[in-house]
Amino acid sequence: MNQRITAGFLCLLLAAAPMLGGCEKDRGTGAGYLFSYTLDANPQSLDPQLATDEASLTVIGNLFSGLFRMDDTGNVVPDVAESYEISPDGCTYTVHMRKDNYWYSLGDARQEATRTDSEDAAKHAAPVTAADFVYAFQRLFDPQTDSPYRERFAALKNGQRIMDGELDCTQIGVDASDTYTVVFTLDRPDANFLSLLATTAAMPCNPSFFYGCKGRYGLDEDSVISNGAFYLRMWFYDPYGKENQIYMRRNALNSRAKQVYPSNLTFYIQDAQKAEQNFRDSLTDCLLTADSSYAASGKYTTLSYESVTYGLIFNPRHSQYSNASLRKALSLGARSADYAPMLGADTTEAFALVPPAVRMLGKEYRELVSQQSVQPAGQDAAVLYTQALDELGIASLESAQILVPAGLTDYAALHEIVRRWSDLFGFYIGIDPVDPETYAQRLQDGEYAIALYGTGSDYNSPAGALQQLLEQQGMLGMSEQTLRDVQAQLQEAAGVENLSGTLEHYRAAERLLLEDACFIPLFYKQEYLVFRPDNEDLAFDPFTGQVFFADAKHFE
């Protein structure tokens, strides 16, 4: 059966009560449409304090609302928050919440379907309160949760002591001063704290519902609750099946305060290749892709961000290409002036690390900290190459190939870099394009000398982009001294009271990494959200890969 027809049938079948909303379209406002999208994997968990994979984060982003969110210009704006104050010392954040945000789940929908009275549904719903955010942060720091995000919030009062096992997680510096006021107390100022409150990890958790799940929270449709635009109606996944999908419906209670335009969402759970086919066959409404041909065709509306920095990394276990002097010589030999004219329309030259999609103070970070300002002091590539040969005790370098993922971009610019290296140093390096699965496996197994590698951030901050490189220290062959020095700069940046004061620390951290030459940046790559012109106001986060549908409209 056609999947769009299946979803439409479900919409009719499930419209058992007025509370749940119907599938009627409002062609004047674009509301009432059933949007469809393909996830390239089954979500691992819909627990905001745990989820890390793109499929999970996309579903969570449409299920939950946090105190704050990022708008489309990269600024932090209130969501469940109504207003907030920050103390002069930057160590206390007092957040006043809206009183019209509600929890809703499949269990609530079932009760609504059987209720015979005509009372306002809000009278039966549980409001989201400050206690739900307090409990979320206690879970975040609970060692039993084992959240991958808690270190980001280490500036919270007692955060480090809890992580060191000295205090219980209930001692974390998050309190409810009244039903709708959350107070965050920090041990030290953190200029990124407001941005962190806009991330998935800071979403609320209803303790009563959590304990009622008996260890299955976030793992099936009966163990997921929503305070966002939609609630989860069905989650079906069979690893051997073809009709795997997640079906969501508009949270009509929350739509009263802030209109949710689609009536329903269907997420098909298939692979990346099927995602493209579904979009081309008009079975889905949008596609997240790095393929620039969709944008170039002129047939679609596209949103794009340069969110990934691609560059060269060297196998730290390779007998020759792991040499630091050689890395630096090759870095100096890869001059952007030579290869920039050969880059495709979807890429721009990069000689810094943080991609342009990262924004601060209402601007692109790269406007505030230019690429030129992070460049290390000049050295001579030929001198460094000779030094590398002496350190390795060899007369010449053995040939090698650069491992690259096939189809990522036109590699004419990379060929130009290789040609220049041959002219400068007199050795041959080839290019070895392989399919994405083979590429990932060879990286994991260390079966490469040089590889093209992409890095970005999983939230909108220079600190996120730089920290992601630090987390890959072992694979990049970064020196221990560089690791310590960059960590020190990021810690200094985190302790600054305002974002503008962090810029010099980020600049210094970026320069240190470039001096180490463990990652040689070459180009920034566009990522696109593509949809047909009859759809409007879809959005995506270029850092997490989340696609958001609450404001999406469809016109015929």
Side-chain angles (χ1 to χ4, degrees):
M1 180 183 292
N2 180 288
Q3 290 181 326
R4 188 175 289 276
I5 295 174
T6 302
F9 173 72
L10 282 170
C11 186
L12 294 172
L13 180 66
L14 298 175
M19 169 62 202
L20 303 184
C23 291
E24 296 82 6
K25 298 177 187 176
D26 182 341
R27 289 178 172 81
T29 64
Y33 183 65
L34 190 163
F35 277 88
S36 300
Y37 179 68
T38 304
L39 304 173
D40 63 6
N42 187 45
Q44 296 177 12
S45 170
L46 299 182
D47 179 344
Q49 278 73 56
L50 281 178
T52 58
D53 61 291
E54 191 172 292
S56 297
L57 292 172
T58 290
V59 178
I60 287 170
N62 290 282
L63 280 173
F64 288 86
S65 291
L67 291 170
F68 299 92
R69 63 180 178 83
M70 288 283 184
D71 68 12
D72 56 6
T73 65
N75 291 317
V76 179
V77 295
D79 194 353
V80 176
E82 186 173 61
S83 63
Y84 66 97
E85 300 99 36
I86 305 174
S87 64
D89 65 359
C91 288
T92 304
Y93 290 66
T94 303
V95 183
H96 308 283
M97 297 169 52
R98 293 166 26 213
K99 299 177 182 178
D100 53 7
N101 185 242
Y102 296 94
W103 291 110
Y104 202 75
S105 69
L106 179 56
D108 294 319
R110 289 168 178 155
Q111 290 181 17
E112 288 292 335
T114 59
R115 186 172 289 129
T116 57
D117 61 59
S118 58
E119 290 184 79
D120 187 337
K123 294 181 180 179
H124 300 278
V128 178
T129 67
D132 297 318
F133 286 96
V134 172
Y135 185 65
F137 277 87
Q138 291 177 355
R139 283 195 66 234
L140 189 71
F141 277 84
D142 189 335
Q144 293 187 7
T145 305
D146 194 25
S147 172
Y149 299 112
R150 68 177 186 168
E151 289 191 1
R152 294 183 182 177
F153 294 88
L156 280 167
K157 181 181 177 181
N158 296 328
Q160 191 59 54
R161 295 183 67 188
I162 294 170
M163 291 189 288
D164 291 341
E166 297 175 11
L167 293 175
D168 184 79
C169 63
T170 58
Q171 301 301 305
I172 194 65
V174 185
D175 300 285
S177 63
D178 61 43
T179 304
Y180 293 102
T181 305
V182 192
V183 180
F184 297 92
T185 306
L186 281 61
D187 281 328
R188 63 179 189 274
D190 184 349
N192 279 311
F193 190 70
L194 208 60
S195 295
L196 290 170
L197 290 180
T199 63
T200 299
M203 299 293 187
C205 182
N206 182 282
S208 298
F209 186 86
F210 176 81
Y211 284 112
C213 293
K214 299 179 180 179
R216 288 202 56 78
Y217 182 66
L219 298 179
D220 57 49
E221 65 248 36
D222 288 308
S223 304
V224 175
I225 194 168
S226 161
N227 79 311
F230 303 90
Y231 73 92
L232 189 63
R233 183 74 195 191
M234 182 186 75
W235 181 1
F236 177 77
Y237 181 74
D238 175 357
Y240 304 104
K242 296 182 179 179
E243 298 295 322
N244 298 323
Q245 62 183 261
I246 287 174
Y247 181 70
M248 300 169 67
R249 304 202 65 183
R250 176 171 49 212
N251 184 331
L253 283 174
N254 289 339
S255 186
R256 295 179 180 182
K258 184 178 184 297
Q259 183 175 0
V260 177
Y261 284 84
S263 59
N264 309 274
L265 296 180
T266 298
F267 291 121
Y268 302 124
I269 305 171
Q270 295 169 326
D271 57 28
Q273 184 175 1
K274 188 64 176 174
E276 291 209 36
Q277 189 63 51
N278 286 347
F279 180 70
R280 288 195 295 266
D281 292 345
S282 298
L283 295 177
T284 54
D285 294 290
C286 57
L287 176 70
L288 193 61
T289 179
D291 186 347
S292 62
S293 66
Y294 290 97
S297 71
K299 295 168 54 178
Y300 306 105
T301 301
T302 58
L303 303 176
S304 64
Y305 297 90
E306 289 183 315
S307 55
V308 182
T309 306
Y310 279 91
L312 298 177
I313 62 173
F314 303 87
N315 189 336
R317 298 192 297 273
H318 193 279
S319 60
Q320 296 181 1
Y321 287 91
S322 59
N323 179 271
S325 297
L326 177 59
R327 295 198 315 255
K328 294 174 183 178
L330 296 178
S331 176
L332 291 168
R335 298 192 315 178
S336 62
D338 294 326
Y339 68 80
M342 300 181 181
L343 289 169
D346 60 337
T347 56
T348 56
E349 61 183 318
F351 40 99
L353 301 172
V354 179
V358 173
R359 298 182 66 88
M360 285 179 61
L361 306 171
K363 297 182 178 181
E364 286 187 359
Y365 170 75
R366 291 269 65 106
E367 292 182 53
L368 300 169
V369 178
S370 69
Q371 297 196 87
Q372 292 84 352
S373 71
V374 298
Q375 294 306 299
Q379 291 178 283
D380 188 277
V383 170
L384 281 168
Y385 180 68
T386 301
Q387 181 178 321
L389 296 183
D390 290 342
E391 291 168 355
L392 293 168
I394 57 177
S396 62
L397 196 67
E398 66 182 46
S399 62
Q401 289 192 312
I402 302 175
L403 178 68
V404 301
L408 175 70
T409 188
D410 178 356
Y411 289 116
L414 196 52
H415 282 286
E416 176 58 25
I417 292 170
V418 167
R419 186 200 64 77
R420 176 167 169 77
W421 283 346
S422 178
D423 291 344
L424 281 173
F425 308 124
F427 64 87
Y428 173 77
I429 294 182
I431 297 174
D432 182 17
V434 298
D435 64 82
E437 292 77 15
T438 302
Y439 170 83
Q441 190 63 52
R442 286 180 57 181
L443 274 184
Q444 180 179 323
D445 295 341
E447 295 180 0
Y448 66 96
I450 311 174
L452 184 69
Y453 184 73
T455 184
S457 177
D458 58 5
Y459 72 107
N460 185 32
S461 168
L466 297 169
Q467 185 62 44
Q468 193 166 103
L469 282 165
L470 295 188
E471 291 170 359
Q472 300 298 321
Q473 178 214 9
M475 187 175 77
L476 301 181
M478 184 188 306
S479 74
E480 290 291 339
Q481 186 61 53
T482 297
L483 175 65
R484 288 192 295 270
D485 290 346
V486 174
Q487 285 175 331
Q489 289 294 337
L490 294 183
Q491 288 169 3
E492 290 286 334
V496 175
E497 293 183 18
N498 57 76
L499 282 174
S500 59
T502 66
L503 293 176
E504 285 307 312
H505 295 294
Y506 293 147
R507 190 195 316 272
E510 208 168 359
R511 185 183 292 117
L512 286 165
L513 286 165
L514 290 168
E515 286 174 350
D516 192 87
C518 57
F519 179 93
I520 302 175
L522 298 181
F523 57 85
Y524 304 119
K525 181 76 170 67
Q526 296 270 9
E527 187 171 24
Y528 305 89
L529 181 67
V530 185
F531 46 96
R532 276 169 280 278
D534 52 3
N535 296 323
E536 295 181 6
D537 296 328
L538 286 89
F540 85 100
D541 185 323
F543 308 105
T544 62
Q546 292 169 289
V547 181
F548 301 103
F549 292 91
D551 296 324
K553 304 170 185 67
H554 178 79
F555 300 94
E556 293 183 351

